[in-house]
Amino acid sequence: MDGASPLYDRLIQHEALERASFHTPGHKGRFFSPDLLRVDYTELPDTDALYEASDVIFRTEQRAAELFGAGRSLISAGGCSLAIQAMLRLASMRGGRILCARNAHRSAVNAMALLGIDPVWLMPDGGNGYTGRISPENVRAAFEACPGITACYITSPSYYGELCDIGAISGICHEYGALLLVDNAHGSHLAFLRENRHPLALGADMTACSLHKTLPVLTGGALLNIAGNIPAQEAKQAMALFGSTSPSYIIMSSIDLCVTYMNGMGREDYRRCEDTVAGLRMIADKRGIPRPGGECDPLRLTLNTAAVGLTGQAQQEYFEGCGIDCEFCDGENAVLIVTPFNTDGDIERVRRAILDMPISAPVTGRHEGFVLPEKKMTLREAVLSPSEEVSILCAAGRTAADTACPCPPGVPLIMPGEEISPETAELMHDKGIERIRTVKC
Ligand SMILES: Cc1ncc(COP(=O)(O)O)c(C=O)c1O
């Protein structure tokens, strides 16, 4: 290597830092042998084809469906984003309106724009610095207020690990004849813990699962899971509408190998990991470092370090100084993804980081001030219109052409098609958003 390959070189330099990985992918570089490169094949007479799967890919999908308790599972080598696109396409084919939690990931917003879906937004309950949860009461109120809803789309778990009451929400959706679609990007492993909290097991009709985030699967490997009573004939076609015609056989094979592992010792490993995280949480509790309340993903470690005075850039630097790469440091919360592929040494670094964290007066974030902006045009119109990026200081009065979120996992302050009011512009500025893409005047 002569230093002329900037991306590859940077990754190798990063590897040399030997930080403990508490981010995706779930395998932490420890599950696959370099041998996996041998299977970088394409569609050949004996290797099947993803969008016309009838042989080995179909068998892998059947094994995945059995593992997750789905009627049908479809492999995505284009991440959970592709599974979300297919899920929304299937829902839109039924007609009617889609009720969508406002904390939707950008991939869902973009898919809705491309599909011409004009969602009815549903606000999560006050997250107090976290994303917050969609409550069954709010779902029922939305069905009452807006007749003709045929699907409800929510994200659970949230980035911070908060779980929605899927059982109650699915019951309400079914009462109104609607489907419950769950962006379960962060919760593939939930099916294998002591209590099965996977949304499919709790009544969801379709789930998009980013296997690579928490299970030993290569980045880009995901599943669209469809419940047994939901017709799935159109699902492949829905995925093919958005997916590459060259899906990676390496990624697809990694899903196959993961299914084998989860059918073997995987469950035991993930259950042991629950104890590991519970131990770390206990230390955090003793030190007065708060975590999200209510029902949460047992494997997600979210530490509200702002409550003990560790915020902003210092937060990230503190963890890096402890030899830890977090999934995300938003200045207030540090989010760590723990899997069985973290070594004892990795866990010890986190334990020490929690024990040694300097404790000082809390710094409280500003979470108030969000008002649902006024809609000027549909998502589709806004995303596909000619647009320009402008300073947030002169954005008031313009229509957003993109989402703007203070931090990726949060509730966007503005969605495409909504007017940026002076108050929203000020709030965005306060949250550190400097520029925004707007529809060209
Ligand atoms: C909540 C949520 N949904 C969907 C996605 C998209 O997943 P992927 O990166 O596998 O396409 C992400 C990615 O971070 C996410 O956080």
Side-chain angles (χ1 to χ4, degrees):
M1 287 299 140
D2 61 5
S5 308
L7 171 59
Y8 181 82
D9 292 348
R10 178 62 57 83
L11 297 176
I12 296 302
Q13 281 163 14
H14 188 86
E15 187 189 34
L17 297 175
E18 294 189 346
R19 294 220 188 101
S21 162
F22 286 94
H23 49 79
T24 69
H27 60 75
K28 315 287 181 187
R30 296 196 178 97
F31 183 71
F32 300 105
S33 83
D35 258 13
L36 197 61
L37 275 181
R38 286 168 52 193
V39 300
D40 189 15
Y41 274 103
T42 185
E43 293 161 354
L44 298 172
D46 59 346
T47 60
D48 209 359
L50 180 59
Y51 300 118
E52 293 87 35
S54 59
D55 183 11
V56 281
I57 293 180
F58 183 62
R59 276 187 0 233
T60 300
E61 291 184 327
Q62 280 183 316
R63 297 177 71 221
E66 267 169 45
L67 182 68
F68 284 93
R72 180 83 175 91
S73 290
L74 284 90
I75 288 178
S76 159
C80 195
S81 301
L82 180 57
I84 288 171
Q85 287 167 328
M87 185 160 80
L88 285 167
R89 165 71 181 148
L90 287 170
S92 71
M93 286 161 80
R94 291 162 46 101
R97 309 269 335 248
I98 295 187
L99 181 63
C100 181
R102 182 88 181 176
N103 58 345
H105 187 255
R106 173 182 291 258
S107 56
V109 178
N110 288 341
M112 288 191 285
L114 293 175
L115 289 163
I117 295 171
D118 192 19
V120 178
W121 294 120
L122 185 60
M123 280 303 288
D125 283 346
N128 195 24
Y130 309 108
T131 318
R133 295 180 176 81
I134 293 295
S135 71
E137 295 72 30
N138 286 357
V139 172
R140 184 177 290 286
F143 274 109
E144 288 292 317
C146 184
I149 291 171
T150 53
C152 171
Y153 179 101
I154 63 172
T155 300
S156 179
S158 73
Y159 210 79
Y160 299 105
E162 302 146 291
L163 295 169
C164 293
D165 185 345
I166 301 289
I169 294 173
S170 67
I172 295 165
C173 291
H174 298 156
E175 219 179 282
Y176 286 86
L179 298 180
L180 176 61
L181 321 178
V182 180
D183 172 350
N184 182 47
H186 291 273
S188 305
H189 60 285
L190 292 172
F192 311 111
L193 303 185
R194 291 195 180 98
E195 188 184 329
N196 182 352
R197 292 186 176 93
H198 193 283
L200 207 62
L202 300 174
D205 297 294
M206 292 190 229
T207 66
C209 304
S210 213
L211 304 187
H212 66 92
K213 290 194 195 304
T214 57
L215 293 176
V217 163
L218 290 185
T219 299
L223 282 181
L224 169 60
N225 285 322
I226 303 177
N229 58 335
I230 304 296
Q233 307 85 287
E234 325 245 29
K236 274 284 171 188
Q237 206 270 331
M239 200 175 262
L241 186 63
F242 294 98
S244 164
T245 53
S246 302
S248 159
Y249 272 76
I250 306 189
I251 294 175
M252 294 194 288
S253 302
S254 78
I255 294 177
D256 198 17
L257 293 172
C258 171
V259 171
T260 304
Y261 165 69
M262 294 314 304
N263 277 327
M265 62 197 276
R267 269 172 213 272
E268 218 20 70
D269 289 350
Y270 272 78
R271 286 171 190 185
R272 260 199 312 275
C273 198
E274 281 185 72
D275 298 334
T276 304
V277 177
L280 294 171
R281 284 177 173 176
M282 210 185 296
I283 301 171
D285 291 350
K286 278 195 189 137
R287 297 222 65 216
I289 305 166
R291 301 181 279 107
E295 209 191 344
C296 287
D297 168 7
L299 289 199
R300 186 61 49 110
L301 186 63
T302 298
L303 303 171
N304 186 336
T305 65
V308 292
L310 183 61
T311 59
Q313 190 59 24
Q315 183 194 45
Q316 170 124 6
E317 286 168 5
Y318 177 73
F319 283 99
E320 284 177 4
C322 295
I324 292 167
D325 271 338
C326 295
E327 166 67 11
F328 190 63
C329 282
D330 68 10
E332 214 171 312
N333 295 286
V335 178
L336 286 82
I337 297 181
V338 189
T339 77
F341 300 94
N342 285 114
T343 61
D344 290 348
D346 293 349
I347 301 299
E348 179 55 21
R349 285 190 198 184
V350 179
R351 204 178 71 83
R352 279 260 57 99
I354 300 173
L355 281 172
D356 296 344
M357 193 176 293
I359 304 283
S360 59
V363 180
T364 47
R366 278 186 52 189
H367 303 300
E368 74 290 355
F370 178 78
V371 180
L372 204 60
E374 194 181 330
K375 185 174 143 189
K376 289 292 178 187
M377 55 179 78
T378 64
L379 283 179
R380 183 179 174 82
E381 283 166 338
V383 168
L384 300 184
S385 289
S387 65
E388 58 188 344
E389 204 183 77
V390 299
S391 157
I392 205 68
L393 300 172
C394 51
R398 284 173 166 260
T399 302
D402 199 357
T403 51
C405 208
C407 50
V411 178
L413 297 173
I414 198 104
M415 290 285 188
E418 292 174 346
E419 184 176 83
I420 306 165
S421 68
E423 295 75 27
T424 305
E426 197 185 325
L427 191 60
M428 286 197 261
H429 186 253
D430 285 355
K431 299 273 185 190
I433 297 170
E434 287 172 9
R435 300 187 71 73
I436 180 158
R437 185 151 286 281
T438 61
V439 173
K440 234 178 185 157
C441 302

